Amino acid sequence: MGYVAVKGGQKAILASSELTGYYRLRHAPGSLDVGMLPSQMRFLVDRVMSEAGFYAPKHAALALKQAQGDVYEAAFLLRAYRSTVPRNHVSLPLDTQGMRLIRRISSAFRDIPGGQILGPTFDYAHRLLQFDLLDEPPEAIAQVLKRVEDRYSAEEDQEPALFPRVSDFLREEGLMAPPHPGAGEEEPFDITRFKLPFPAPRSARLQTMARGETGAMVALAYSSLRGYGAVHPTIGELRVGYCALILPYPLENGESVYAGELLITEVEAINGFAGTEPGEPVQLVLGYGVSFGQNEVKSIAMSVLDRALDVVSGTEPVHDEEYVLSHIDSIESAGFISHLKLPHYVTFQSELDRLRTVRQTPDTGSREGIR
Amino acid sequence: MNRRQRTRILVEDEGDLLISLCHYVENKVPVRIHRQSSNGCVMAKALDAVQRVPFFLGEILISECTVAIDNVLGFGAVLGDDTEKAYRLAVVDAAWNKGTLPTEYWVTRLKEAEAELVRRHREEFAAVSQTRVRFETGSEYDKPR
C-alpha cells in the first residue's frame, strides 16, 4: 500500500481561512488590544511562553489573539516564530536564588528565613464570579491600583532581601546529599538541536519538562499522587520572581551585559527519604521544577515527575522516562492528534477492502488483521 | 561603574536617560552601524537548584545591535522586541569603550537613575511584603516536648 497525493480544495482552504477571521470578529465590539494581554491574561501568556519554550510576552499575546485563544495553536505559532530568529547567545546561568521575589511559600516548614510571602495568588480566593469586572471603568482600575500602592509608603524602607533556598538548610543539616562533585561543569544537552536520547541526561530531562504541556504534566503527576506512582511530595519551597538575564559580552572575554529580567517559577519538592550507599545515613530526596512565567501547577507537576523518573523500581507509566518525556510536548502531541483530521482516504479504504474480503470469506471466525 | 551595572540601569530606566545619552553621543561623534539592530534569541542557561546540574530552560527573545565609533565597537542587547533601544544601548556602549562618555555629568545621571530603580524595586517589594504571613500558633503547639 502506498500514499496517493490528492489535489483540490485550495479555494475551500482559502475561504476557510477567511471564515476563521470572520468568526474572530463577527460579534466583537472591537479588535482585542494585544498590549493588554501580558498583564490582564498573564497566566495564559505565561503558559503559552512556557509551552513554546520561548520567552516573548508580546509575541505570545499576539499568538493568542491570532489563535483566538487556542493554547495549542498559540504555542505552535510561537515556537514556529522562534525558529525564524537566530540564536547568537547562551546566557550566563540564571541566578534564581537572587531573583526579585514576588511570591515564596513552603508547605514543609512554617518558619523559613525571610518568611512566607503569599504574593499574587488565587490560592485563598473565593471561587465566585466577580460580575463587577464586566464593566470596569477607569475609576475602578485606579482604585485597585491605589489600594496597593498606598501601602508602599506605609511599609518601612525595606531592602529586598536575598532569600536562601530551603534545600540549602537541609544540606547544611546533612539531611540532603550534596550535589555530585563536578555536576555544575557538565555542558547541558540541547533538545532544540539534537534528538532526545534515552536514557536522557538530566539536563535534557529538565529542558523537556520545562517546555512540557501543562495538562499532560499535571495529569501524569496527579496519577502518581493518586497511587499510580510512588511519589507524593511536600513542597519544600515554591518561589516566583524576576531573574536577571545576563549575556556574555561578545566584544570582550569575561565581561557581561544585562538585557532585562524575566519572570520564572521554581519549585523544590521533598520526597521522603532514601538511602544512598549501605552504611550511609538516609537522606531526603528532592524533585525540581521550573518554568517561564508564573506557572505554579506545572512547576509542581514537573518537580513530582522529576523525582518519579528517578524511582527506578516503579512500574507505573509515571516512572518510565521514555513514556513521560515523549508525551508531554504540546506541539508534538497536539500535532499528532490533529493529523487525524487530515485525509486518510487511502488507508481507510484499504481497511474497508480488507473488512469486505473477510466478510465474504466463508470462515469469518478469525479476526486476525482487523484492528 | 562596570558594564553590567551600567547596562542594568539603562535597560531598566523608565525615564529618558538612554535617549539623552544616545543623542549626546550622536551629536558629538559619527556612529556607524556595524550590525543592524534586529531580533534574535538567547538560550537561557539555568542551574537545577537540587542537583546543581546546568540545563537549558528555554529561549528568550531579544533585540541586539552592534555599532562602531571610529572603529571602536559597542554592543547593545535588550529583552523583547525593541530594536531602537538595542541600537541606543550599542551607541552608549561604543562611546563608553571609546572614552567619550564616562564624564562626571553622565555618571551622576546614571547613579541617580540607579537610585530611582532601587526605589521602584523597594516599593514593589514593600507591596509584596504586605502578603507576608504572620503565623500564630496555639499554646499546645509551642509546648516543650
Side-chain angles (χ1 to χ4, degrees):
Chain A
M1 187 182 70
Y3 285 95
V4 179
V6 291
K7 285 180 73 176
Q10 287 95 330
K11 276 187 184 170
I13 291 169
L14 278 175
S16 165
S17 175
E18 286 174 1
L19 192 65
T20 311
Y22 172 77
Y23 272 87
R24 181 171 69 84
L25 296 168
R26 187 172 56 152
H27 296 307
S31 175
L32 184 68
D33 183 350
V34 168
M36 288 184 176
L37 296 188
S39 53
Q40 297 194 45
M41 287 285 159
R42 63 191 189 89
F43 290 104
L44 186 56
V45 168
D46 286 352
R47 180 168 174 171
V48 168
M49 291 194 299
S50 167
E51 294 178 7
F54 189 52
Y55 196 95
K58 193 176 88 179
H59 291 66
L62 173 63
L64 275 163
K65 178 178 180 176
Q66 185 180 331
Q68 301 178 31
D70 183 327
V71 177
Y72 288 111
E73 185 70 17
F76 195 166
L77 285 168
L78 196 58
R79 201 180 288 180
Y81 174 76
R82 188 271 295 172
S83 68
T84 68
V85 288
R87 186 205 293 175
N88 298 321
H89 313 275
V90 173
S91 79
L92 298 187
L94 299 175
D95 178 13
T96 54
Q97 180 159 344
M99 70 165 68
R100 205 158 62 74
L101 282 176
I102 61 168
R103 170 161 163 78
R104 185 224 197 188
I105 55 147
S106 170
S107 51
F109 301 100
R110 186 192 64 173
D111 297 314
I112 47 176
Q116 305 221 19
I117 299 170
L118 299 183
T121 180
F122 295 120
D123 284 356
Y124 305 95
H126 296 295
R127 266 62 182 202
L128 299 172
L129 280 175
Q130 286 179 260
F131 288 98
D132 50 344
L133 294 182
L134 286 172
D135 180 24
E136 202 174 18
E139 308 82 64
I141 296 171
Q143 208 173 18
V144 169
L145 298 177
K146 191 171 182 305
R147 264 205 301 272
V148 172
E149 285 165 1
D150 277 354
R151 295 197 193 115
Y152 289 173
S153 49
E155 186 75 11
E156 288 297 310
D157 190 14
Q158 195 175 4
E159 189 76 46
L162 190 68
F163 292 86
R165 284 203 180 89
V166 166
S167 59
D168 292 339
F169 311 137
L170 297 175
R171 280 207 174 92
E172 277 170 24
E173 277 196 61
L175 296 173
M176 202 182 126
H180 295 294
E185 291 152 23
E186 296 163 17
E187 189 53 33
F189 189 91
D190 186 358
I191 60 162
T192 68
R193 295 287 160 93
F194 304 101
K195 190 177 184 308
L196 181 64
F198 293 105
R202 179 164 176 76
S203 58
R205 178 200 289 183
L206 294 173
Q207 189 183 11
T208 304
M209 292 199 286
R211 70 174 197 175
E213 200 263 317
T214 309
M217 292 172 65
V218 169
L220 285 165
Y222 180 45
S223 76
S224 179
L225 302 192
R226 288 196 64 249
Y228 293 90
V231 177
H232 190 136
T234 308
I235 304 298
E237 184 173 357
L238 180 152
R239 51 169 66 197
V240 181
Y242 293 94
C243 273
L245 177 67
I246 309 290
L247 310 185
Y249 185 58
L251 306 176
E252 195 174 326
N253 279 341
E255 290 262 331
S256 59
V257 292
Y258 174 99
E261 56 181 15
L262 59 148
L263 188 68
I264 71 162
T265 304
E266 190 179 49
V267 172
E268 294 176 359
I270 305 171
N271 296 274
F273 50 83
T276 46
E277 297 293 327
E280 287 187 12
V282 288
Q283 290 173 315
L284 293 168
V285 281
L286 269 65
Y288 181 66
V290 66
S291 67
F292 282 149
Q294 188 170 1
N295 273 297
E296 299 183 9
V297 177
K298 173 178 167 176
S299 301
I300 295 167
M302 177 174 166
S303 70
V304 173
L305 295 175
D306 178 40
R307 177 61 199 141
L309 295 181
D310 278 339
V311 178
V312 288
S313 57
T315 54
E316 295 84 357
V318 76
H319 299 300
D320 183 329
E321 184 178 67
E322 188 164 352
Y323 183 89
V324 171
L325 299 186
S326 301
H327 296 112
I328 57 170
D329 187 81
S330 80
I331 281 79
E332 289 178 7
S333 59
F336 205 48
I337 295 291
S338 288
H339 104 282
L340 297 174
K341 294 184 285 185
L342 299 177
H344 285 64
Y345 308 137
V346 176
T347 47
F348 187 67
Q349 198 60 48
S350 165
E351 283 188 34
L352 280 181
D353 288 347
R354 285 164 64 201
L355 177 66
R356 289 184 184 118
T357 306
V358 169
R359 292 181 70 160
Q360 283 164 7
T361 307
D363 178 16
T364 55
S366 167
R367 291 179 175 271
E368 198 174 322
I370 308 274
R371 278 184 288 167
Chain B
M1 181 171 288
N2 67 28
R3 196 179 312 275
R4 192 190 293 192
Q5 183 185 5
R6 188 179 76 232
T7 48
R8 176 169 174 264
I9 298 165
L10 292 173
V11 165
E12 295 294 344
D13 181 55
E14 291 181 343
D16 63 352
L17 178 59
L18 180 59
I19 294 173
S20 308
L21 264 166
C22 187
H23 283 164
Y24 172 81
V25 176
E26 285 176 323
N27 289 333
K28 212 169 163 64
V29 288
V31 176
R32 180 172 58 81
I33 302 281
H34 182 76
R35 197 169 142 208
Q36 198 71 39
S37 192
S38 60
N39 287 342
C41 69
V42 178
M43 179 53 95
K45 194 186 261 192
L47 268 183
D48 150 26
V50 174
Q51 294 189 19
R52 305 277 156 83
V53 170
F55 70 100
F56 293 132
L57 176 59
E59 288 161 305
I60 299 166
L61 181 72
I62 60 160
S63 302
E64 56 182 313
C65 181
T66 310
V67 302
I69 297 172
D70 290 340
N71 291 327
V72 175
L73 293 175
F75 172 76
V78 62
L79 196 142
D81 178 16
D82 195 344
T83 48
E84 195 65 31
K85 193 166 186 173
Y87 164 77
R88 290 181 183 134
L89 287 163
V91 169
V92 172
D93 190 53
W96 212 278
N97 289 344
K98 173 84 179 144
T100 315
L101 260 187
T103 63
E104 200 181 321
Y105 171 75
W106 288 115
V107 171
T108 305
R109 289 280 309 268
L110 281 162
K111 284 184 176 166
E112 285 167 359
E114 186 176 37
E116 171 60 20
L117 173 62
V118 170
R119 187 195 62 77
R120 256 184 16 235
H121 284 177
R122 278 186 175 184
E123 279 190 353
E124 186 178 354
F125 186 68
V128 166
S129 294
Q130 295 286 322
T131 67
R132 192 188 302 273
V133 183
R134 319 278 178 197
F135 282 105
E136 288 173 18
T137 51
S139 52
E140 285 297 311
Y141 184 90
D142 292 329
K143 268 185 185 171
R145 295 171 201 181

